[in-house]
Amino acid sequence: MDNNVKRNEQMNNKTVLITGGTSGLGRACVDVFLEAVWNVATFGRRFNIISEMRDVYRNKNLIAEVCDLRISNHLDSVLDIFHKNFGKFDAVILNAGELGKTPLINSSDLELNDFRSVFETNFFGNLSLIMKVVRNQTKGNAIFVHITSDAGSTPYPGWGPYGSSKAAMDFLLRIMQLEEGKTGKRFISFDPGDMNTEMHRLALPDDAPENLKDPYDSARELLDVVERR
Ligand SMILES: NC(=O)c1ccc[n+]([C@@H]2O[C@H](COP(=O)([O-])OP(=O)(O)OC[C@H]3O[C@@H](n4cnc5c(N)ncnc54)[C@H](OP(=O)(O)O)[C@@H]3O)[C@@H](O)[C@H]2O)c1
């Protein structure tokens, strides 16, 4: 373990796992939680960004790893690294997300695999992570926060795979809250609003950036939700 990580770990025993910390809301969450003196574990697929983050944050309580949420043995490897360094998580932010094929088109014009690939990340990837950490890698009163979207509760044309995958995950967390709530764990969804990020630019390239939320504002709201827990 990095000496700085070891030393600074004493400052706060709260640890968060933020999936998809390489851009947008995930990266903003990394900064905001670090600023609030949390230990932060994160991952994403882009090696160049993970390696740049390791450099930029080398004096912070951050562990950043390359991992594809859809691949079970990637998750096993990074969870092992996080556990050896930070122990159990107090919070898990299920932020990594996949928009799907762009430009957005009607569901009946897509192939089944276009749906499958979005669900592979937004539903099965998240579920796989929850299953791996819920039993022995989270503290008793840990909170799981699914980053959802209004597209998961309001039907918009063109948002079939994304909207239905978010809705499915939201519903599963409501079930898990009933199943696991008595253990002290919490399962919630959090809608960050329309933010100025790569994903939003791909989905709605005509939206003016000045009309979109700064992901750092959403990250601060999310920190508040988690800390009020
Ligand atoms: N932007 C909005 O207006 C908006 C609104 C409502 C909800 N959201 C939700 O907010 C979350 C963050 O999105 P964003 O807007 O910040 O978009 P973004 O900048 O495109 O970020 C998406 C993140 O997910 C990661 N990711 C995607 N697939 C992954 C996989 N298979 N394994 C590991 N990491 C993966 C990406 O990292 P790598 O590419 O490095 O893997 C990236 O860090 C998403 O769940 C999105 O649905 C966004």
Side-chain angles (χ1 to χ4, degrees):
M1 173 166 52
D2 181 287
N3 280 340
N4 291 314
V5 169
K6 207 186 284 176
R7 190 179 59 245
N8 294 339
E9 211 178 304
Q10 311 307 321
M11 291 168 65
N12 181 2
N13 58 5
K14 292 256 197 270
T15 299
V16 61
L17 168 59
I18 300 164
T19 68
T22 46
S23 61
L25 177 63
R27 181 67 175 260
C29 285
V30 166
D31 283 332
V32 164
F33 276 80
L34 283 173
E35 212 169 282
V37 207
W38 281 64
N39 302 315
V40 177
T42 193
F43 64 76
R45 292 163 301 176
R46 284 171 285 182
F47 170 76
N48 57 329
I49 300 183
I50 292 292
S51 111
E52 171 245 311
M53 288 175 78
R54 286 176 179 156
D55 196 31
V56 170
Y57 298 89
R58 65 182 172 283
N59 294 324
K60 307 272 186 184
N61 295 348
L62 175 80
I63 303 172
E65 294 294 324
V66 176
C67 169
D68 187 327
L69 179 63
R70 299 166 296 183
I71 302 176
S72 182
N73 61 9
H74 277 200
L75 279 179
D76 290 338
S77 310
V78 298
L79 288 173
D80 191 47
I81 295 169
F82 296 152
H83 191 249
K84 283 184 178 135
N85 281 275
F86 285 152
K88 297 186 177 188
F89 301 121
D90 297 273
V92 178
I93 311 296
L94 302 161
N95 166 75
E98 169 70 44
L99 174 64
K101 202 171 181 174
T102 53
L104 300 173
I105 56 173
N106 287 350
S107 299
S108 58
D109 295 323
L110 290 168
E111 301 300 326
L112 197 51
N113 274 340
D114 297 323
F115 275 79
R116 285 207 170 101
S117 69
V118 172
F119 270 73
E120 210 51 60
T121 301
N122 295 359
F123 187 79
F124 293 109
N126 279 333
L127 177 56
S128 164
L129 176 66
I130 293 173
M131 285 171 156
K132 286 175 192 296
V133 300
V134 76
R135 291 186 204 125
N136 53 23
Q137 207 167 334
T138 48
K139 292 187 186 155
N141 61 351
I143 182 167
F144 290 78
V145 186
H146 170 230
I147 304 302
T148 189
S149 163
D150 62 333
S153 50
T154 304
Y156 299 117
W159 292 77
Y162 179 88
S164 54
S165 67
K166 292 288 183 185
M169 198 63 214
D170 288 342
F171 199 75
L172 178 64
L173 285 208
R174 288 172 59 194
I175 292 173
M176 294 195 77
Q177 177 60 43
L178 295 175
E179 292 170 344
E180 307 274 340
K182 57 184 172 303
T183 67
K185 292 192 170 50
R186 260 194 91 193
F187 296 81
I188 63 166
S189 290
F190 172 85
D191 179 357
D194 287 347
M195 303 172 292
N196 184 14
T197 67
E198 286 173 28
M199 184 183 284
H200 198 94
R201 282 190 285 281
L202 277 172
L204 300 167
D206 296 334
D207 277 3
E210 59 272 22
N211 295 333
L212 297 172
K213 231 169 134 177
D214 181 338
Y216 280 82
D217 289 338
S218 304
R220 281 187 279 270
E221 289 163 14
L222 177 56
L223 173 70
D224 193 45
V225 167
V226 171
E227 289 200 326
R228 270 194 285 114
R229 153 105 181 76

